[in-house]
Amino acid sequence: MTESKGALRKAALLDAAQQVLVTKGNANAAMRDFAAAAGVRIGHLQHYFPTRADLIRAVLERSLERSLQRLSEEAGLDLGAGASGGLTREDSHRLLTALLHEHSALEDVKMHLEIWALASADQQAAAALRSFYGQYAAHVSSMVRRGRPELSEPELAGVAAAIVSLFEGAAVTRSDIAGLRTEYGDRSIISAAQSLIHGQEPAR
């Protein structure tokens, strides 16, 4: 299906905003900087994204949507919110391996770090970040439910939060910024997450 002109314009604006965050950082993340990077007037940018928080939220939501699409394709699993059916250890291993790969792109790590820095001083940006992690955790919770259907909703939320924290922390420490990526470390991260998903000790 061909995208509408409006959708294409929005995509171009989001591309420019992401590039500003990655190359210039949040210190140069005012609306005028985003507009200049996209080659448009501020009024044009604000037609689609009235505030900086709206723009940041859209950048994050698109990032999550694209990531879920890639994960579905790489792991061969339905990751929709209403997905059902059991989850084998083989399934979770494929999914977690793909998820760890998703957290390996340095540009994405830089973008998220800059948004975190922005959110630390901007409550609207912080709200956009919380919305992103809420959606991320909800998808993880849905997958955990397929591995541990006996868990209550609070327990599912807790396990999902632990997995999100594990992989988000790993994204920074495994990146070229911190340089702690190792093959054994990656296996350990996946093994720890599998234990959370299936509620049992990993196979030795």
Side-chain angles (χ1 to χ4, degrees):
M1 182 182 295
T2 303
E3 289 188 274
S4 68
K5 287 184 179 180
L8 291 172
R9 289 178 185 135
K10 287 178 71 173
L13 293 173
L14 293 176
D15 288 341
Q18 185 168 336
Q19 195 62 22
V20 168
L21 289 168
V22 170
T23 61
K24 297 184 178 180
N26 77 87
N28 294 305
M31 290 296 274
R32 64 177 176 274
D33 299 302
F34 291 130
V40 301
R41 292 174 297 185
I42 287 184
H44 178 83
L45 177 62
Q46 291 179 318
H47 172 73
Y48 292 98
F49 307 105
T51 68
R52 182 171 61 172
D54 292 323
L55 182 58
I56 294 299
R57 183 177 291 107
V59 166
L60 288 169
E61 288 177 351
R62 185 178 70 161
S63 173
L64 180 61
E65 182 181 336
R66 287 178 169 180
S67 181
L68 288 170
Q69 179 62 37
R70 288 191 296 266
L71 284 172
S72 294
E73 293 171 357
E74 291 181 35
L77 294 169
D78 179 6
L79 300 181
S84 60
L87 189 72
T88 67
R89 289 192 70 86
E90 183 180 351
D91 289 335
S92 65
H93 189 274
R94 287 200 314 275
L95 174 63
L96 293 167
T97 300
L99 182 59
L100 196 59
H101 178 72
E102 278 292 300
H103 284 71
S104 300
L106 185 57
E107 280 206 1
D108 286 343
V109 173
K110 286 182 177 179
M111 181 190 77
H112 283 268
L113 287 175
E114 292 300 337
I115 292 175
W116 266 96
L118 180 61
S120 69
D122 184 319
Q123 287 303 309
Q124 289 187 322
L129 195 62
R130 285 193 295 272
S131 175
F132 165 77
Y133 280 111
Q135 294 176 62
Y136 180 3
H139 282 284
V140 174
S141 180
S142 177
M143 295 307 298
V144 174
R145 183 182 292 108
R146 294 166 66 177
R148 301 176 69 181
E150 77 281 0
L151 294 183
S152 66
E153 288 302 318
E155 288 170 329
L156 284 170
V159 171
I163 292 172
V164 171
S165 298
L166 175 64
F167 278 79
E168 287 294 288
V172 177
T173 58
R174 291 172 68 253
S175 73
D176 291 342
I177 297 171
L180 294 181
R181 181 177 181 177
T182 67
E183 183 179 343
Y184 183 79
D186 284 0
R187 290 203 305 270
S188 297
I189 291 168
I190 291 170
S191 179
Q194 277 194 295
S195 296
L196 288 167
I197 290 175
H198 297 286
Q200 56 190 9
E201 289 299 316
R204 297 292 182 183

